[in-house]
Amino acid sequence: MMGRSPWRVSNTQPPLHGRVALVTGANSGLGFEAALGLAHRGARLLLPIRNPDRGQSALERLLAACPQADVTLLPLDLASLRSVATCARAVADLTDHIDIQINNAGIMAPTRRMETQDGFELQFGVNHLGHFALSAHLRPLLEAADGGGILVSVASLAAAKNTLHFNDLQSRHRYSPFGAYQQSKLANLLFAQELARRAGERGWNLHARAAHPGWAATSIVANGQASTLPKPLGLIEQTLGTAVLRVMGQSAAAGAEPLLYAALSPQARDGDYYGPQGAGERRGPPGPAIVPATARKASTAARLWDISERLTNTAW
């Protein structure tokens, strides 16, 4: 494990003037803090966000914290492959390259099984398949970046808690709120590793890495499990969940540091995984993370890739 790293969200190094960065889920939490860190460094931001009101609120907060920020909001619903394709076309109309892409948006553990517009289990569909399809559509822009664009997939410590159930990826036979979340986060990590492998073998001009935030106090509890409970229970769940993350984990700003480390640090390597360096990787400055045993089998990553291409009707 590394010692204390200089890669803090508030840093202005390296300068990113003239660079284009796309961050999903930047209306709050990790995505907002990562976008703010990129804005402070001078990057032009493209922020695909599902909820227009939350997007506008995030834009106002970004500009209040970084008045010189160059920010464009775009509509994106990762639960709809049609929306994903439409968003990718809109991005291509705005820029001819992407230097940094952070696949951050996600949903965690709704109490009942829900589906995307395309019939996928919601967490697997949003957290993995939506980002898989978006990244496939944006690959030409990543490859057009000077030196190759960097794509960071945001996984989780939860990735180590489950395996991929290829006989029931959509949780139709058995749905576990956190089990499905764990599977989707493992898929994020496997995607990053497989993309790095294929890019290296096929000469694609892009870089793929993964990161996790440790235990970060974000709104993911409110947007996931708490939102599917009756209102009084949901408020209690949200309050308790956020309090635990704050006490035993770290702030959203600190949780965003591994994401920025993976994207910006000269020590970051393709196919590698980054996270907090404290006990259990729950908090602390960013550096190398432990890859769980369930993510070390190349054949599993390749199988997931092939299935994801078929389910999303995308070809890399």
Side-chain angles (χ1 to χ4, degrees), residues 16-33:
L16 297 176
H17 302 284
R19 303 294 183 93
V20 178
L22 182 147
V23 184
T24 67
N27 58 286
S28 64
L30 301 175
F32 177 86
E33 297 294 346

Side-chain angles (χ1 to χ4, degrees), residues 5 7-8 17 52 57 80 118 133 135 195 201 221 273 297 304:
S5 165
W7 296 95
R8 314 299 293 188
H17 302 284
S57 174
S80 164
D118 304 284
S135 302
L195 177 55
E201 287 185 353
V221 175
Y273 191 29
K297 198 171 182 180
L304 174 66

Side-chain angles (χ1 to χ4, degrees), residues 1-8 257 261 277-278 283-287:
M1 290 294 184
M2 297 178 60
R4 179 164 291 278
S5 165
W7 296 95
R8 314 299 293 188
E257 291 178 4
Y261 185 97
Q277 300 298 279
R283 61 193 300 171

